[in-house]
Amino acid sequence: PSLLNEDEILVCSDSKLKIDNDKVALEEFIFGITSQNIDNLIGELSKYLPLEIDLKSHFAIVHDNVFKDLVKYAVEIRTRIKIDQTTGTVAEGALFTIEFVPAESVFYGFLFVTDPYKKDQSKVNDARGVAEEMRNLLDNSIIQFGGDETLGMGLMKVKCISYESKNLNNQI
């Protein structure tokens, strides 16, 4: 069971999503703001996400069914055609559509590092060395995922955040 009704939304007190003191509009949906305060929760989360935007002013939590509708209907959809390279005209049956993830979407994942199975003469012979090599390789890099790289789509900035596990005493 969801903690929210479908017509309710959770936002921080200084949210830029508000249209009134008690309402938020996302696409064609209007929501009433619940009285629950998530400022502290989002403030803590923001410490671990080095974003270009102020997360507290843009973050919202909605009911699962509303989220499903937003994902289904609020994505950018482009209709494209394929050009026949020999004739320079539209290829037969070449109409297609592409759905794009919203530009400011945040993805996250975890990378768990352990000591290498086979140690050699390189400087990477423990979990910390492996983690440091991964950080040097990935941190602040721009990676392209999916297709349409010639259109500038699928570009993602990677930010590595270390977490020192108190239980395992290893860097994660």
Side-chain angles (χ1 to χ4, degrees):
S2 180
L3 300 174
L4 295 170
N5 294 322
E6 291 187 20
D7 61 347
E8 294 179 320
I9 193 166
L10 276 169
V11 293
C12 292
S13 58
D14 59 347
S15 176
K16 291 183 180 176
L17 302 173
K18 293 180 182 180
I19 55 173
D20 286 330
N21 285 336
D22 60 345
K23 288 189 176 43
V24 168
L26 297 177
E27 296 295 321
E28 66 271 9
F29 303 105
I30 305 291
F31 302 96
I33 298 173
T34 67
S35 60
Q36 299 176 45
N37 189 328
I38 59 170
D39 288 24
N40 291 339
L41 170 71
I42 304 308
E44 281 299 309
L45 180 62
S46 295
K47 292 178 186 176
Y48 300 102
L49 298 173
L51 302 173
E52 313 288 319
I53 62 168
D54 175 23
L55 186 63
K56 286 178 72 174
S57 65
H58 292 82
F59 191 86
I61 299 174
V62 295
H63 188 278
D64 290 347
N65 291 339
V66 173
F67 182 74
K68 182 174 64 173
D69 288 342
L70 287 170
V71 169
K72 185 173 183 180
Y73 298 114
V75 296
E76 180 182 352
I77 300 173
R78 290 190 189 170
T79 303
R80 310 261 329 265
I81 56 172
K82 181 179 178 184
I83 303 296
D84 185 327
Q85 296 297 319
T86 57
T87 64
T89 60
V90 177
E92 184 72 26
L95 185 66
F96 61 97
T97 58
I98 303 171
E99 293 182 2
F100 294 105
V101 174
E104 291 184 354
S105 296
V106 175
F107 297 94
Y108 67 91
F110 299 98
L111 178 65
F112 297 97
V113 179
T114 62
D115 290 337
Y117 175 71
K118 184 176 179 181
K119 299 187 190 250
D120 57 19
Q121 301 300 327
S122 73
K123 65 179 180 175
V124 183
N125 37 359
D126 65 358
R128 289 187 190 277
V130 172
E132 188 60 34
E133 285 294 313
M134 292 301 295
R135 174 183 297 284
N136 292 339
L137 178 67
L138 295 173
D139 198 29
N140 291 316
S141 62
I142 304 293
I143 298 176
Q144 197 275 331
F145 287 95
D148 291 325
E149 70 181 289
T150 57
L151 299 176
M153 299 299 165
L155 297 175
M156 180 183 300
K157 181 177 181 180
V158 177
K159 182 66 183 163
C160 298
I161 301 167
S162 293
Y163 173 74
E164 190 76 26
S165 171
K166 294 178 178 135
N167 295 333
L168 301 175
N169 215 11
N170 287 325
Q171 185 173 355
I172 298 177

